[in-house]
Amino acid sequence: MGRRPAGAQPRRPAAAASDTAFYDAAAVAGGETLSRIASTATAISWGLANTLVAQVAVSRLLYAMARDRQLPSFLARVSVRNSVPTNAILLVAGLSVGLGVWMSTREDGVSLLGSLINMGALVAFVVLHVSVITHYVVRMRSTDYLSHLVAPLVGMAILIFVVINANVMAQTVGLVWLALGAVVLAALYAMGRGPSLPDLPVPERSV
């Protein structure tokens, strides 16, 4: 009583299963061997390429922020031999490997990692919508309310709905990360090192 039939796959929560449906289907169709082959093929075909792109992009972002005195200066050091931000690359690589190893030890690691990544993007886009309203409606006094007020508010509503229904741990990490960013930003402004974009042209105010 209560035993699983031989060869049957263990049940997973619906949220976790939805993120690994392809691999679960491979396991059901061909067993653990086919599931591992599918996982390996996926990692080689696009996983490695995406990882390299993310590694380059994030390390350059950290380098640029450090160069503009938004992050510690050691991240702005560039290798004389290779002309790359070595410290930023090593930091991102270390964090990626550590997080990946930790997630691999959790049963819900794949779905949780996906939720954390999505949460970061969602929170960033919510802040982006707020910045659109702040820049155009508050600062520039734009009267194009459809583009600069209504559209951002609709986008924010959709994003916030997704955030509310996201993984609880992802919600916690996303909100903590947002609060930490706000604290760092306030500290930078207090030290006179607030971010600025002096090279951007200032648009004319709408009449």
Side-chain angles (χ1 to χ4, degrees), residues 76-102:
R77 294 176 186 169
V78 177
S79 170
V80 177
R81 178 181 178 183
N82 301 314
S83 299
V84 295
T86 307
N87 291 344
I89 291 174
L90 292 176
L91 176 63
V92 174
L95 291 175
S96 300
V97 171
L99 185 59
V101 171
W102 175 50

Side-chain angles (χ1 to χ4, degrees), residues 118-130:
N118 292 337
M119 180 59 63
L122 291 171
V123 171
F125 280 119
V126 168
V127 175
L128 173 63
H129 283 73
V130 172

Side-chain angles (χ1 to χ4, degrees), residues 19-27 33-52 110:
D19 293 324
T20 58
F22 174 72
Y23 309 106
D24 293 339
T33 301
L34 182 59
S35 178
R36 291 183 181 277
I37 291 175
S39 301
T40 304
T42 301
I44 293 175
S45 62
W46 59 264
L48 292 178
N50 285 356
T51 301
L52 291 175
V110 174

Side-chain angles (χ1 to χ4, degrees), residues 21-157:
F22 174 72
Y23 309 106
D24 293 339
V28 171
E32 190 67 19
T33 301
L34 182 59
S35 178
R36 291 183 181 277
I37 291 175
S39 301
T40 304
T42 301
I44 293 175
S45 62
W46 59 264
L48 292 178
N50 285 356
T51 301
L52 291 175
V53 171
Q55 173 83 17
V56 171
V58 174
S59 62
R60 265 55 175 187
L61 177 61
L62 295 181
Y63 159 74
M65 294 181 68
R67 180 196 59 193
D68 295 339
R69 303 173 62 204
Q70 309 300 315
L71 290 176
S73 59
F74 82 95
L75 293 173
R77 294 176 186 169
V78 177
S79 170
V80 177
R81 178 181 178 183
N82 301 314
S83 299
V84 295
T86 307
N87 291 344
I89 291 174
L90 292 176
L91 176 63
V92 174
L95 291 175
S96 300
V97 171
L99 185 59
V101 171
W102 175 50
M103 288 297 175
S104 68
T105 63
R106 298 177 57 98
E107 185 178 355
D108 62 341
V110 174
S111 60
L112 178 58
L113 185 58
S115 298
L116 292 175
I117 294 172
N118 292 337
M119 180 59 63
L122 291 171
V123 171
F125 280 119
V126 168
V127 175
L128 173 63
H129 283 73
V130 172
S131 67
V132 169
I133 296 174
T134 302
H135 177 74
Y136 285 103
V137 177
V138 178
R139 293 179 180 173
M140 306 306 300
R141 306 297 182 187
S142 171
T143 57
D144 186 0
Y145 297 118
L146 180 61
S147 299
H148 300 151
L149 182 62
V150 176
L153 286 176
V154 172
M156 284 177 57

